[in-house]
Amino acid sequence: MYPTTDKSSAGSSKSNKTPSNSMPDLSTLASSSSNRDVSLQSLATLIPELVNNILNLYARAWTFSEEKLPQLAFSESGIRFSKLLVPVERSNGKISDNVLSNIVLNAAFQRLEARSGQGTTFPTKVEITAFLFRAFPNSWSDASMTTADRTVVLAGIASVLSELGYHRKKAFVLKELLSGLLPALVQARKSGAAELGVHPAASLASLDAALGGRRSQTLEVPLGELEAGLLELLSLICNSYGIVITTVSDVHSDQEPTESVKSATSFDSVEAVVDRTVQQASCKYTSSFEIKMEVLQMCINLCEALPDLGGILRFSSELLRICGSGIAPGSESSDGAPALSVDDQVRLVNKISRTVSAAKQLGLGHLEAEYWDEFLIRSVEVAGQSPSKVPRAHAKRELEVVAQIATETKKDPFLYNPFLQTSTKTTLPLLVAEEEAGFLVTVQNLYEFELEIESVELQSEGVSFASVSQDFVIGPYRTQTTLLMGTPSSAGALKITGCVAKIKGCRKRRFPAFEKAWALQPDVKLKHAAKRLEAASEASADKKRPSKVAAGPVPFSLSVDVIGVQPQVTVKAVSLPQSALMLLEGEVRKFTITLHNASRTVTADLLLLSFDDSTSAQLQAAMANKDLSATDLYELELALSKKPLRWRRGEEDADPAIAPGQDIVLEIEVVGKPGLSSGTIHVDYGHIGGPRSSIQGRFYTRQVSIPLTITVNASLDLTRTDLLPFTRTFAWQNQQRLQSQRKSQQTLSEKSPSPATKHRPSSSPSSHRHSTHNVSRLHENRFQALLQRIGIAPNAETQHCLLLLDCRNSWPTPLTISIQIRSLSQLSPSPSPSSNNSPNSNSNSDGSSTHITADPWKRAYTIRETIQPGHTSRLVLLLPRIRLQRNPYAPIPNLDPKGKRQFVVSSSSSTSKGTLESQMQARESFWFREEILKLMQATWTEERTGRKGEVNLRNVRLSSRMVNAVRLLDIDIRMTVSASPPSSSPPTSADSDPQTNHPHLPPIQQLSPSTYLLNSPPSLLEVTTTITNHSLHPIHPLVRLQPRLAGPHPHNVALDLGRKFLVQGVLQQAMPVLEPMGGKGR
């Protein structure tokens, strides 16, 4: 059939050649090669027409019933002719050695460059495809062809279409192959079940029992051959329709067990899961969803008809995956619903469950399905621990700050306590080695059936971590959170990367966590979709991710810091019943708490206590008001600095520690404070393992909180306060009486000395004080006894004011109030800061008062009175007048260092004189009130129960009138009148008048500090003026005396002394400079 050249011409040419023994004629060889190429080219031109004529002759024979060609022969001929045309077409219509090797020897064909389409008449791929489909079996020829023949023909057509690159047509042919193969398999199964005497729908276990342990011929097929044959064919069909099936069996089906485990681990790696997720999501947009479901359902039915358990599990799982959304929806998204009906979803899950059970009964326990949703684990976080178990990180300097609080609280009560404040910094979660911790794992189920998880445990990297397996059920279409427990064994860094879960009927595998929402954006361009399908198919074949794909989901990992073993301190006992306490205002109560160290190996060698109460928040809220005056702000800060809860530490509590398994008892003191309703004791403890100076870097503590319920009831309240001026005549009279008694006793002792009188104690102030106490007990008037006492003590004050206090008893039982007032002599002066260090220094009588002596209230006088419930009693007290040894207009201090400001501006927008005067008056009242409060203290006692407490005197407020009543001026002026020395001048007539002379009385008698009586007036009187400078600065005084008549006379009459009063000398005189703080001049 090969075309040849003319033989005669060939022979003549051969005869014309001259034989020679030399080298062969190269021109002859070249001519032979050229003739071969021409022949092959002629053959390439002849083949298309030749095969077409042959197939037409076969088709013409169909009209004769006796000479009709069978469909199988016709189809095989068409397939063979098409396979003959394909390599020639791929070689641009030329027959070369490569084409001949592919046709004859079935060698690999090397693709040439694309055909140019010029100078060739060889059929194109479209024409070859049309020629090939003439071999497609018709519906009327199905009766003449067996299922096996039809399968062979369709497989051949699909093979040729694959070589031509028509994958869609190949998929259509393969689908038809399955459509014809499935009924035959079902019929074969029915026939085999009838031979065994069982129902066709019986399980494989029933078939195996019916065979008596003998497997049927179908089951005797080795599993490896079955996977290499039928499953490979089904996977090819699925890939043609954009269904990429990749399971762990594809990875290690032909490997050793140890290598299979390694392959499964790599298959479940984070990178592999991300690549597989993107690949499967991309395939969702390559073809129709209905066609995919139909193809997968046909694969499932075919595997059931074989029966092939592994294929059933594989394609059922893939069908659930395809119908799913393939996304990680957000918290507020509702786009994750599957595209399959609920009944179909439940049917598939039940089919997987039954297949796995049948495989186990047949001894194929390794057959399990692949889970169909990669986004099973959505998030992992550390569960909220009990506040008593949460470790807190601290720096060494924080411990040094806490050590200063105990020694500097009185100086600065607002020192920052780092253990009392809650840190807001975002840090890594902390776990403690050898202690079980909880993790909240969020799982999702986007399908309309319950998902039974047989086991799930955490997977980690870093330090050794033992996770506890947990089983639970996830409801349909929901996100659910479960608690998983785990225990780190040592300190270090720990990272939770996901979970290892075993779903019922599915393989146990690793699931990464994907916290963020993710969905692949669809590409509507068909050419891009086709490229993505091709890339997915190549990636499935090469087991690697294509270079250019969409961004995949970002896996999430939880990083945790694990610290060393820590002690565990718990509250063992509290001496208060139900941790509740009832107090009266000012009352002090004590109770104990017992702490126990539950650790068996670690000592709690760091123990710190801090307190919190309900009044702090109220006071801080009040301090936030910008319109507060400086005085009110000071009172709020002072109230905030006085904590109602205190730890009474003994010498043994300097460095408390709790040994493993031991207890410690702490004593707490509570003060009844108005507004106190609750309190909390915070116990910070930790393990340092050495002295505090050996701490390097950071250390960790835990905190145990003990809440208290406190009820504070009102006791005694100060409802009104007033200060009134008081004359100093009583003090002067007491001093004069004391001097006269001393003189009389001295005179008696000189006249009649005796042992009794010699050894009799003198009338000292102490003995007189006892006598006045006896007098006060005899007199019903308590105030009269008080008046007889003032001014007789050494360095006693002579100027006082009246203090009126109205006290109301708000408690339903009688309360006895006791108010103590001490004199200014019991306060030591402190003109400089150095004097504050000498508490036992003597005091002056000038009224200075800043520092309290060591025993301040020993010599103070006390007034007691019992007040009935609901009654108000007025107490009258004598208060020494005060002279400030400081600037009375100094700014009011700010106790809180955080609130200190360089300038304090009044809240009023006006800067008028009245506003400035009111500010100066407020400052003066503040400083005088502070000095008054140093001289007073008040307590109450309930006689029936013995309860006692302090009365808050800081409610006292001073007006300008009250300040004038208590204030002593900086310049003290005292005048005395005495008779002038005798002179040589003769007495006047007035001196010799017998009616005005009283020989038994002194000529000048002093009736009060400023009143004198002239019994026998001398010719001249001497008036002495003494000026004392108590201010802080020296003064240069100018004294001017201005006599006037006593009594209610008009001003001009009172100064008219021309005929009644003679003055010798000058009434105005300049005095020398008086030094500050007690300088005197006359």
Side-chain angles (χ1 to χ4, degrees):
M1 296 177 62
Y2 285 92
T4 59
T5 58
D6 189 6
K7 295 183 180 180
S8 60
S9 61
S12 63
S13 63
K14 181 176 180 181
S15 62
N16 293 333
K17 293 182 180 178
T18 304
S20 177
N21 294 328
S22 61
M23 296 182 61
D25 190 358
L26 297 178
S27 61
T28 304
L29 295 177
S31 176
S32 177
S33 176
S34 176
N35 293 335
R36 181 175 180 273
D37 294 338
V38 173
S39 300
L40 292 177
Q41 184 61 33
S42 300
L43 178 62
T45 306
L46 182 61
I47 285 178
E49 183 179 358
L50 181 62
V51 296
N52 189 25
N53 292 333
I54 295 174
L55 205 59
N56 289 334
L57 291 176
Y58 289 163
R60 189 178 303 174
W62 288 349
T63 59
F64 303 98
S65 59
E66 296 179 358
E67 300 178 1
K68 182 178 180 180
L69 184 69
Q71 179 65 34
L72 177 60
F74 182 82
S75 298
E76 287 184 352
S77 298
I79 295 172
R80 292 176 186 270
F81 294 155
S82 299
K83 290 180 66 69
L84 179 63
L85 296 175
V86 169
V88 181
E89 189 278 334
R90 296 178 65 184
S91 184
N92 297 332
K94 299 178 182 179
I95 299 179
S96 60
D97 295 338
N98 187 19
V99 174
L100 293 176
S101 299
N102 178 262
I103 295 174
V104 178
L105 303 178
N106 198 20
F109 180 80
Q110 296 181 359
R111 177 76 177 182
L112 300 179
E113 64 275 2
R115 61 186 300 178
S116 60
Q118 297 178 358
T120 179
T121 59
F122 197 84
T124 61
K125 292 194 299 182
V126 177
E127 296 174 349
I128 296 175
T129 304
F131 182 80
L132 175 64
F133 270 97
R134 295 178 64 181
F136 194 88
N138 297 324
S139 58
W140 56 268
S141 63
D142 291 344
S144 61
M145 294 182 63
T146 63
T147 303
D149 295 340
R150 180 182 175 84
T151 302
V152 172
V153 170
L154 294 178
I157 296 175
S159 176
V160 176
L161 291 175
S162 178
E163 293 181 6
L164 291 173
Y166 290 146
H167 299 288
R168 291 175 178 267
K169 292 181 174 60
K170 181 188 71 172
F172 170 75
V173 174
L174 292 177
K175 181 182 176 184
E176 290 295 326
L177 187 150
L178 290 182
S179 300
L181 185 61
L182 183 59
L185 292 177
V186 173
Q187 184 62 34
R189 182 174 182 180
K190 291 180 179 180
S191 301
E195 294 177 0
L196 296 176
V198 296
H199 194 274
S203 63
L204 291 178
S206 301
L207 293 174
D208 188 65
L211 288 172
R214 295 179 292 106
R215 298 292 180 89
S216 64
Q217 185 178 359
T218 305
L219 295 178
E220 289 176 356
V221 178
L223 182 60
E225 296 182 7
L226 184 62
E227 290 184 352
L230 182 61
L231 292 182
E232 185 176 352
L233 174 62
L234 297 180
S235 299
L236 179 61
I237 297 174
C238 293
N239 289 335
S240 301
Y241 282 93
I243 305 172
V244 180
I245 300 178
T246 304
T247 61
V248 70
S249 60
D250 297 333
V251 181
H252 60 86
S253 59
D254 55 349
Q255 296 177 355
E256 298 295 332
T258 55
E259 296 180 356
S260 300
V261 174
K262 296 180 181 180
S263 300
T265 303
S266 62
F267 182 81
D268 296 336
S269 63
V270 177
E271 295 79 6
V273 171
V274 172
D275 293 345
R276 191 164 56 251
T277 301
V278 175
Q279 178 182 349
Q280 293 169 353
S282 301
C283 295
K284 285 182 175 294
Y285 306 102
T286 55
S287 61
S288 173
F289 171 72
E290 289 75 10
I291 296 178
K292 291 180 181 179
M293 291 186 59
E294 183 180 355
V295 171
L296 287 174
Q297 189 62 49
M298 291 174 60
C299 294
I300 295 174
N301 296 336
L302 181 63
C303 293
E304 287 180 343
L306 285 176
D308 178 19
L309 302 183
I312 295 173
L313 296 177
R314 171 180 294 192
F315 294 109
S316 298
S317 175
E318 188 62 30
L319 181 54
L320 286 174
R321 185 192 304 275
I322 290 295
C323 73
S325 60
I327 66 172
S331 58
E332 298 180 356
S333 176
S334 59
D335 300 334
L340 202 63
S341 64
V342 178
D343 296 337
D344 292 338
Q345 296 179 43
V346 174
R347 179 179 55 81
L348 287 174
V349 172
N350 294 336
K351 182 179 296 185
I352 292 175
S353 178
R354 291 195 307 267
T355 304
V356 172
S357 301
K360 291 182 180 179
Q361 294 178 4
L362 294 173
L364 303 176
H366 64 281
L367 288 181
E368 290 178 326
E370 191 72 23
Y371 187 65
W372 42 87
D373 187 8
E374 300 291 349
F375 300 102
L376 176 65
I377 307 298
R378 293 305 308 271
S379 66
V380 180
E381 60 181 349
V382 179
Q385 302 179 6
S386 173
S388 61
K389 292 186 177 182
V390 176
R392 304 180 180 183
H394 301 278
K396 181 180 180 180
R397 53 184 174 81
E398 297 181 2
L399 190 60
E400 297 174 353
V401 170
V402 175
Q404 297 176 358
I405 292 180
T407 58
E408 298 185 5
T409 300
K410 295 182 179 180
K411 298 180 181 179
D412 189 358
F414 293 92
L415 285 175
Y416 167 73
N417 188 349
F419 290 87
L420 186 58
Q421 303 294 333
T422 302
S423 177
T424 58
K425 296 182 180 179
T426 303
T427 57
L428 294 178
L430 293 177
L431 299 182
V432 181
E434 300 182 5
E435 290 189 15
E436 192 175 43
F439 295 83
L440 295 178
V441 179
T442 303
V443 295
Q444 77 171 13
N445 177 21
L446 300 181
Y447 294 85
E448 299 291 344
F449 54 84
E450 290 186 350
L451 190 64
E452 181 178 353
I453 298 182
E454 297 179 349
S455 67
V456 61
E457 58 186 20
L458 297 171
Q459 187 176 37
S460 62
E461 298 177 358
V463 299
S464 178
F465 182 79
S467 178
V468 179
S469 180
Q470 182 74 19
D471 60 328
F472 58 95
V473 176
I474 310 176
Y477 198 73
R478 68 187 58 191
T479 300
Q480 187 171 322
T481 302
T482 185
L483 179 64
L484 298 183
M485 308 302 294
T487 305
S489 59
S490 59
L494 177 66
K495 180 184 290 186
I496 305 298
T497 58
C499 295
V500 177
K502 173 67 172 66
I503 295 92
K504 183 179 180 181
C506 298
R507 177 179 63 90
K508 184 177 182 180
R509 51 160 294 191
R510 178 182 182 272
F511 289 91
F514 297 98
E515 186 178 28
K516 296 182 179 179
W518 179 85
L520 185 67
Q521 298 298 327
D523 193 348
V524 297
K525 294 184 178 181
L526 296 179
K527 61 178 183 179
H528 292 173
K531 291 180 179 180
R532 185 163 51 244
L533 173 59
E534 183 178 359
S537 301
E538 294 177 356
S540 177
D542 298 340
K543 301 297 185 290
K544 63 180 181 180
R545 185 177 179 181
S547 58
K548 295 182 179 180
V549 293
V554 179
F556 167 78
S557 61
L558 176 65
S559 298
V560 182
D561 284 343
V562 182
I563 63 176
V565 183
Q566 297 292 318
Q568 300 181 17
V569 176
T570 59
V571 180
K572 186 177 182 179
V574 180
S575 60
L576 296 176
Q578 298 181 356
S579 299
L581 182 64
M582 194 280 290
L583 296 170
L584 296 180
E585 291 183 3
E587 184 180 4
V588 179
R589 294 279 296 274
K590 301 175 185 177
F591 66 94
T592 60
I593 58 175
T594 304
L595 303 178
H596 174 71
N597 185 7
S599 177
R600 299 181 180 179
T601 57
V602 184
T603 301
D605 52 5
L606 177 63
L607 198 64
L608 302 172
L609 264 69
S610 54
F611 305 93
D612 193 9
D613 59 273
S614 58
T615 61
S616 299
Q618 302 173 6
L619 294 174
Q620 290 175 356
M623 290 168 57
N625 186 7
K626 302 298 182 181
D627 297 332
L628 285 176
S629 63
T631 304
D632 295 337
L633 182 60
Y634 177 85
E635 293 298 325
L636 292 175
E637 292 176 349
L638 184 62
L640 184 61
S641 64
K642 296 180 179 180
K643 301 298 181 181
L645 296 172
R646 296 188 291 266
W647 178 17
R648 295 184 58 85
R649 303 180 62 174
E651 297 180 356
E652 66 279 0
D653 296 333
D655 293 320
I658 311 177
Q662 301 299 320
D663 301 338
I664 189 174
V665 179
L666 305 178
E667 186 177 8
I668 307 298
E669 186 178 77
V670 185
V671 180
K673 189 175 181 180
L676 180 63
S677 60
S678 62
T680 306
I681 304 173
H682 303 286
V683 182
D684 291 271
Y685 64 92
H687 175 70
I688 299 178
R692 298 184 179 182
S693 59
S694 64
I695 298 178
Q696 300 293 335
R698 305 179 68 85
F699 66 96
Y700 300 90
T701 63
R702 286 176 169 173
Q703 189 178 88
V704 177
S705 299
I706 307 171
L708 301 175
T709 301
I710 305 174
T711 303
V712 179
N713 296 321
S715 54
L716 289 178
D717 300 327
L718 294 180
T719 59
R720 184 175 178 274
T721 306
D722 197 4
L723 284 173
L724 300 176
F726 187 72
T727 180
R728 61 179 182 177
T729 303
F730 292 97
W732 178 82
Q733 290 177 354
N734 292 337
Q735 291 177 353
Q736 296 297 323
R737 184 174 65 252
L738 181 61
Q739 291 178 2
S740 62
Q741 290 178 359
R742 289 178 178 175
K743 290 181 180 179
S744 60
Q745 290 178 1
Q746 184 177 3
T747 303
L748 293 176
S749 62
E750 291 177 355
K751 291 181 179 182
S752 57
S754 62
T757 57
K758 289 180 181 180
H759 297 283
R760 185 175 59 187
S762 61
S763 178
S764 61
S766 178
S767 62
H768 187 75
R769 183 166 62 251
H770 288 296
S771 65
T772 55
H773 278 295
N774 295 332
V775 172
S776 63
R777 285 193 297 267
L778 295 176
H779 291 80
E780 295 180 358
N781 192 347
R782 180 179 54 204
F783 187 67
Q784 182 179 1
L786 179 62
L787 294 179
Q788 295 178 358
R789 181 177 179 270
I790 62 174
I792 62 176
N795 299 326
E797 298 84 2
T798 59
Q799 299 188 44
H800 296 77
C801 61
L802 284 179
L803 175 62
L804 306 181
L805 296 178
D806 291 348
C807 299
R808 184 179 184 277
N809 182 10
S810 302
W811 186 241
T813 59
L815 296 178
T816 301
I817 186 173
S818 175
I819 301 180
Q820 290 181 293
I821 296 182
R822 54 186 176 183
S823 62
L824 295 174
S825 60
Q826 299 174 10
L827 300 177
S828 62
S830 57
S832 61
S834 60
S835 63
N836 294 337
N837 300 327
S838 57
N840 297 325
S841 58
N842 297 328
S843 60
N844 300 328
S845 60
D846 55 0
S848 61
S849 59
T850 55
H851 187 64
I852 302 176
T853 58
D855 192 5
W857 305 101
K858 182 177 180 180
R859 300 176 61 186
Y861 73 91
T862 305
I863 294 179
R864 295 183 179 87
E865 183 168 341
T866 301
I867 305 177
Q868 298 299 322
H871 288 206
T872 300
S873 178
R874 171 165 293 183
L875 303 179
V876 181
L877 302 94
L878 280 179
L879 185 69
R881 298 181 67 184
I882 300 171
R883 179 181 293 110
L884 289 179
Q885 298 300 322
R886 65 168 71 236
N887 181 13
Y889 307 113
I892 298 175
N894 197 332
L895 298 180
D896 189 359
K898 296 182 295 184
K900 289 184 178 180
R901 292 166 289 179
Q902 185 175 3
F903 301 102
V904 179
V905 182
S906 175
S907 59
S908 176
S909 60
S910 174
T911 56
S912 62
K913 180 179 178 181
T915 303
L916 297 177
E917 289 180 355
S918 62
Q919 293 182 7
M920 297 178 65
Q921 180 182 349
R923 293 181 179 183
E924 186 181 26
S925 301
F926 172 81
W927 290 115
F928 272 99
R929 184 172 68 103
E930 292 300 311
E931 296 298 328
I932 291 175
L933 294 178
K934 293 179 182 179
L935 302 177
M936 299 174 56
Q937 79 170 8
T939 58
W940 58 264
T941 305
E942 187 178 12
E943 302 294 342
R944 182 175 58 86
T945 59
R947 301 171 66 177
K948 57 183 179 180
E950 296 182 358
V951 179
N952 185 18
L953 299 177
R954 299 204 64 87
N955 296 330
V956 175
R957 292 292 185 269
L958 301 182
S959 63
S960 58
R961 178 185 59 80
M962 298 167 66
V963 171
N964 294 332
V966 75
R967 175 174 51 194
L968 285 176
L969 299 178
D970 293 338
I971 305 300
D972 185 16
I973 301 176
R974 296 190 181 186
M975 301 178 65
T976 60
V977 178
S978 61
S980 62
S983 62
S984 58
S985 59
T988 61
S989 59
D991 297 337
S992 59
D993 189 359
Q995 297 180 359
T996 60
N997 293 333
H998 301 279
H1000 59 281
L1001 295 177
I1004 301 176
Q1005 184 178 0
Q1006 186 176 4
L1007 302 180
S1008 69
S1010 59
T1011 304
Y1012 290 85
L1013 177 63
L1014 301 180
N1015 295 322
S1016 55
S1019 58
L1020 294 176
L1021 298 176
E1022 182 175 332
V1023 179
T1024 303
T1025 302
T1026 303
I1027 299 178
T1028 305
N1029 180 20
H1030 294 289
S1031 66
L1032 301 177
H1033 308 283
I1035 61 173
H1036 192 185
L1038 177 65
V1039 180
R1040 176 184 297 174
L1041 299 180
Q1042 189 175 13
R1044 56 168 294 170
L1045 294 177
H1049 300 287
H1051 183 69
N1052 56 352
V1053 177
L1055 296 179
D1056 187 11
L1057 302 176
R1059 300 180 180 181
K1060 300 178 182 179
F1061 196 77
L1062 299 177
V1063 178
Q1064 182 180 2
V1066 182
L1067 294 180
Q1068 180 174 325
Q1069 183 178 356
M1071 299 183 65
V1073 177
L1074 301 182
E1075 298 297 329
M1077 301 298 295
K1080 295 183 179 182
R1082 293 187 177 184

